[in-house]
Amino acid sequence: GRLWRDQLRPQLMRLVLAFVCMAIIAVAIAGNAWLMKPVVDDVFTARDESMLYVVVVAVLVLALVIGAAGYIEGVLLEVVGQRMVANLQSGMYQRVIHADLAFFHNNPIGALIARFINDAHMLRHSVVKALTGMVKDSTKLVFLITVMFVQEWMLAVIAFVVFAMGIWPIVRIGERMRKVSADTQAQIGQFTRLLDETFQGVRVVKSYGMEDQETGRANAIIETIFRLCLLYTSPSPRDRG
C-alpha cells in the first residue's frame, strides 16, 4: 500500500507508457511468430519469391518496432527506478537524522550505510523486475499462446500442459532466491560494519597486533557472501575451487 501510494502512483504516467511499450513488444513478437507459417507454406513449400520480400520487410519493420519500444520502455523504467531510489534515500535520511542517539548506538554505521546504498537499490530492482515480469511476460505469453492456438491447436495444448507442469519448481526456486537475497544483504551489512569499525579503529588494531584476527573475520564474511552469491548461478568446477 505505502509503496504504491508513495513511490509508484506519482509516476503512474511513466508506468502506463512503459506498459504500453511492453504490449507493443508482445504484439510484435507474436507477429514474428505468426510470420513463421507463411515462411514455411509460401516461401519454402510453394516457392513464392514475392512472398519472401513481404516477409523480409515485415520482419525488419517488427524488429524496428521492438527495438524502439524496448528503448522507450527501458528509459521510462530506469527513470521510475532511480526516482524510487532518490525518494527512499531522502526519506530514510530525514528519519535517521532526527533519530535520538540511542538509535545510532543500536544500529552500527556500516549497517545504516548498507541500508542506504544496497537496500534502496535492491528494492528498486525488485519492484521494476516484478512490474516488467507481471506485464511483459504475461502479455507476451497471452499473444504467443493465441498465435499457437490459431495456427496449431494440438501443439498449443501440449505446450500449455508442459508449461503448467513447470510452474511449481519455478515457484520453489523463487522462494529460495528471496531467502538467499535477504541473507546476502545481511552479510553485506555485516561486512560494511566490519570495514567501518576496522578502518576507524586501525590504530587500536595495529597497537595490539590484531591484523590477522581482523583479516580472519573479514575473510569469513567474504566467503559467506561468495557462497550465497553462487546460489544465484550454476558455478563451474573452477569456481568451486
Side-chain angles (χ1 to χ4, degrees), residues 120-188:
H121 283 279
M122 283 295 294
L123 180 60
R124 164 200 174 263
H125 176 77
S126 299
V127 171
V128 172
K129 196 76 173 176
L131 290 173
T132 55
M134 285 189 301
V135 178
K136 182 188 290 185
D137 296 340
S138 59
T139 307
K140 283 193 294 187
L141 188 62
V142 168
F143 281 104
L144 288 174
I145 288 176
T146 302
V147 171
M148 290 174 64
F149 271 103
V150 171
Q151 292 187 340
E152 293 289 343
W153 70 268
M154 182 62 73
L155 291 177
V157 170
I158 295 173
F160 202 73
V161 171
V162 172
F163 174 77
M165 291 172 60
I167 290 178
W168 184 80
I170 292 173
V171 172
R172 294 288 296 173
I173 292 172
E175 293 174 353
R176 182 183 180 191
M177 288 300 99
R178 283 192 291 271
K179 183 179 185 304
V180 170
S181 176
D183 292 343
T184 303
Q185 288 303 304
Q187 290 297 321
I188 291 174

Side-chain angles (χ1 to χ4, degrees), residues 30-94:
N32 272 328
W34 182 271
L35 288 173
M36 291 303 100
K37 184 174 177 60
V39 167
V40 174
D41 293 346
D42 299 331
V43 177
F44 291 109
T45 304
R47 304 284 184 178
D48 186 352
E49 293 186 2
S50 62
M51 194 63 189
L52 175 62
Y53 297 111
V54 173
V55 170
V56 169
V57 171
V59 169
L60 289 175
V61 170
L62 289 174
L64 290 174
V65 170
I66 291 172
Y71 174 77
I72 296 172
E73 173 214 327
V75 170
L76 289 170
L77 290 179
E78 184 66 21
V79 173
V80 170
Q82 294 300 336
R83 184 73 263 166
M84 281 182 57
V85 171
N87 290 344
L88 287 169
Q89 289 176 333
S90 178
M92 289 167 62
Y93 187 84
Q94 185 175 3

Side-chain angles (χ1 to χ4, degrees), residues 88-107:
L88 287 169
Q89 289 176 333
S90 178
M92 289 167 62
Y93 187 84
Q94 185 175 3
R95 286 191 294 271
V96 168
I97 202 66
H98 289 95
D100 54 24
L101 291 178
F103 174 83
F104 291 94
H105 288 301
N106 296 328
N107 294 273

